[in-house]
Amino acid sequence: EVQLVESGGGLVQPGGSLRVSCAAAGYTFGDYAMSWVRQAPGKGLEWVSSITYDGGRTNYADSVKGRFTISRDNAKNTLYLQMNNLKSEDTAVYYCAKATHVVAGSYDYWGQGTQVTVSS
């Protein structure tokens, strides 16, 4: 059974940093791309970032480029999102998603999400 469990969310002040993690189980983590997607209150899903199966290529939404860094540790079956210089508009539930191939395009499993709140 595939499981994706996010952690590391919380309350942070504007300009602060936070790292969220996604622990994967039930499949060969290193064979698939992964992505982070977020949903702000009252809004739809927004793609944030993707990483290929081997970590060789990453992509970011313009809204987070230069502030967020996606990474993965295939030995630990874990995906990360380092978020720096956080803004109030980054407040959202952050989900990790497993892609169906070595590069992100479509997804077949999602985590339950972790809440990130940016507020003073």
Side-chain angles (χ1 to χ4, degrees):
E1 178 189 4
V2 173
Q3 288 188 323
L4 299 172
V5 180
E6 299 95 337
S7 62
L11 174 64
V12 62
Q13 292 186 342
S17 298
L18 203 62
R19 188 178 80 161
V20 293
S21 302
C22 170
Y27 71 103
T28 305
F29 180 70
D31 283 354
Y32 298 91
M34 295 290 294
S35 293
W36 286 100
V37 179
R38 68 186 181 184
Q39 186 168 30
K43 297 188 176 180
L45 291 173
E46 176 191 16
W47 169 78
V48 175
S49 181
S50 294
I51 187 167
T52 53
Y53 72 106
D54 60 353
R57 275 186 293 160
T58 58
N59 287 290
Y60 299 91
D62 287 344
S63 58
V64 306
K65 199 171 294 182
R67 301 187 298 119
F68 289 13
T69 302
I70 190 172
S71 63
R72 65 190 296 161
D73 186 335
N74 285 349
K76 295 183 178 180
N77 292 345
T78 303
L79 175 74
Y80 303 99
L81 185 68
Q82 176 68 44
M83 303 181 288
N84 298 329
N85 190 22
L86 282 160
K87 305 176 181 180
S88 58
E89 51 263 43
D90 295 317
T91 295
V93 177
Y94 284 72
Y95 300 92
C96 63
K98 172 189 169 293
T100 56
H101 298 287
V102 295
V103 295
S106 59
Y107 306 98
D108 52 4
Y109 291 95
W110 298 72
Q112 85 291 345
T114 187
Q115 176 71 48
V116 172
T117 302
V118 184
S119 175
S120 55

